[in-house]
Amino acid sequence: MYHPYLLIQPEVQQALAEAKPVVALESTIISHGMPYPRNVQTALEVEQVIRDGGAVPATIAILDGKLCVGLNSDQLEKLGKSGHSVWKVSLRDMPYVLSQNLMGATTVAATMRIASMAGIRVFVTGGIGGVHRGAEDSMDISADLTEMAQTSVSVVSAGVKSILDIGRTLEYLETLGIPVVTFGQDSFPSFYSSSSGFHSPLRLDSAMEIASMMKAKWEMGLNGSVLVANPVPSEFEVKPEEIEKHILKALDDANQSGIRGKEVTPFLLKTIAENTGGESLDANIALVKNNAVLGAAISKAFSGLRSSPL
Ligand code: PSU
Ligand code: MN
């Protein structure tokens, strides 16, 4: 698909032109979600998992005044090494970072929008942003949610991290008309743990059924995402009560240090990763790869179902 601001890698472009499966990946998870060098290593490994699953990976970022769809290993290295000095780009930041020729790592919201411009329908990440704990006072609700209400790209995640208010996030997703489907189990996962104490609104047990649901949604003209929650593999699970004490500590540190706005999520992720001595990082990496396996399968199933471009 042509757009003056888009720069689509030739391999991705060709796959899209031939209606072959393509999976979008975000870049904030690389720059702000994990420490260097494991972030870059993970980004490359996740791309390989997608290839092994029969789809073409397209990591998305804003570089040199272009919305880049598909990055080479030098670009991934640069993003990963620059870490928090790269602009974290959500929807509102896109015009600024693009027109100022800044280096931008895209969040779930911005990645979805760019993927959609390029014609990609499946996006794999770790965890989405949502309604923060205490949002009744702070009004801190991620633009990921409002973007999922309007942009027709499915998001494969490991559920919602318990740094957020999971109950309120599920309520807000319902308000916005976003189907939330957990893969293969009844309970909604909470990123590091396969459960959250909340029942999943929907459950499906195969990639093909998820692809059929996406097709049905979009063919009815219901725009927006399908949020797929894929539980973390059990061998990498971190017990909820163990992670909870680290979350409370990180939330307290954030309050004490006056962390606000877009800094909140990266601060919490970094603090928890440091305080759990790497255990949470191992879980994080394992679940993203696990999501890549499912995302590739959904993308393949969806390409097979697609009779005409949506
Ligand atoms: N939650 C995670 N890992 C992440 C993020 C969220 O468990 O890496 C990142 C994603 O890029 C997400 C963003 O889109 O943080 C949300 O930021 P905010 O809460 O500021 O909207
Ligand atoms: Mn926020």
Side-chain angles (χ1 to χ4, degrees), residues 3-206:
H3 189 288
Y5 292 130
L6 279 177
L7 185 63
I8 307 181
Q9 248 185 3
E11 186 196 6
V12 175
Q13 182 81 65
Q14 194 183 341
L16 288 169
E18 293 169 5
K20 295 215 172 108
V22 176
V23 173
L25 297 162
E26 62 154 311
S27 43
T28 294
I29 195 178
I30 305 172
S31 59
H32 291 71
M34 292 179 194
Y36 180 80
R38 283 191 81 189
N39 54 358
V40 178
Q41 200 185 327
T42 303
L44 292 167
E45 285 168 9
V46 168
E47 290 202 348
Q48 190 56 50
V49 172
I50 298 221
R51 283 185 200 287
D52 294 344
V56 174
T59 303
I60 291 177
I62 302 182
L63 302 169
D64 306 318
K66 291 282 180 195
L67 308 173
C68 297
V69 180
L71 303 182
N72 61 36
S73 49
D74 290 345
Q75 290 169 319
L76 286 173
E77 172 72 21
K78 202 169 162 204
L79 267 170
K81 210 166 186 171
S82 307
H84 286 229
S85 67
V86 177
W87 203 279
K88 174 187 162 194
V89 182
S90 191
L91 217 55
R92 60 150 191 202
D93 311 293
M94 285 174 65
Y96 177 82
V97 171
L98 190 74
S99 60
Q100 291 287 317
N101 291 324
L102 301 175
M103 180 162 52
T106 49
T107 61
V108 168
T111 306
M112 283 181 72
R113 183 60 69 101
I114 298 167
S116 172
M117 284 174 163
I120 303 172
R121 296 288 171 217
V122 179
F123 162 37
V124 163
T125 187
I128 60 161
V131 180
H132 279 261
R133 297 189 190 191
E136 58 274 34
D137 292 324
S138 67
M139 293 274 284
D140 193 352
I141 299 174
S142 176
D144 291 354
L145 298 184
T146 41
E147 184 58 12
M148 280 195 279
Q150 56 185 336
T151 295
S152 301
V153 173
S154 286
V155 180
V156 183
S157 71
V160 172
K161 200 172 268 179
S162 41
I163 55 171
L164 301 174
D165 186 325
I166 298 179
R168 284 192 169 94
T169 301
L170 286 169
E171 289 294 343
Y172 202 70
L173 286 161
E174 179 185 354
T175 302
L176 295 173
I178 302 163
V180 176
V181 53
T182 298
F183 181 64
Q185 66 175 40
D186 294 327
S187 66
F188 185 68
S190 61
F191 197 89
Y192 297 118
S193 313
S194 61
S195 60
S196 62
F198 291 88
H199 197 76
S200 177
L202 303 167
R203 167 188 176 156
L204 287 172
D205 290 1
S206 70

Side-chain angles (χ1 to χ4, degrees), residues 239-251:
K239 286 202 182 72
E241 52 282 14
E242 190 184 327
I243 209 77
E244 180 66 17
K245 57 178 196 251
H246 292 294
I247 288 169
L248 292 174
K249 168 91 174 64
L251 286 168

Side-chain angles (χ1 to χ4, degrees), residues 230-308:
N230 189 27
V232 58
S234 55
E235 61 272 34
F236 291 98
E237 255 191 289
V238 186
K239 286 202 182 72
E241 52 282 14
E242 190 184 327
I243 209 77
E244 180 66 17
K245 57 178 196 251
H246 292 294
I247 288 169
L248 292 174
K249 168 91 174 64
L251 286 168
D252 192 46
D253 285 0
N255 267 333
Q256 302 280 334
S257 320
I259 307 288
R260 296 272 180 279
K262 68 184 283 193
E263 309 303 331
V264 172
T265 300
F267 179 88
L268 295 175
L269 299 178
K270 187 165 176 272
T271 309
I272 293 166
E274 284 167 5
N275 293 348
T276 54
E279 190 189 1
S280 70
L281 184 58
D282 290 343
N284 200 341
I285 292 169
L287 66 84
V288 177
K289 287 186 188 163
N290 188 46
N291 293 347
V293 173
L294 181 60
I298 294 170
S299 174
K300 263 180 87 173
F302 187 70
S303 309
L305 286 175
R306 229 168 139 169
S307 48
S308 57

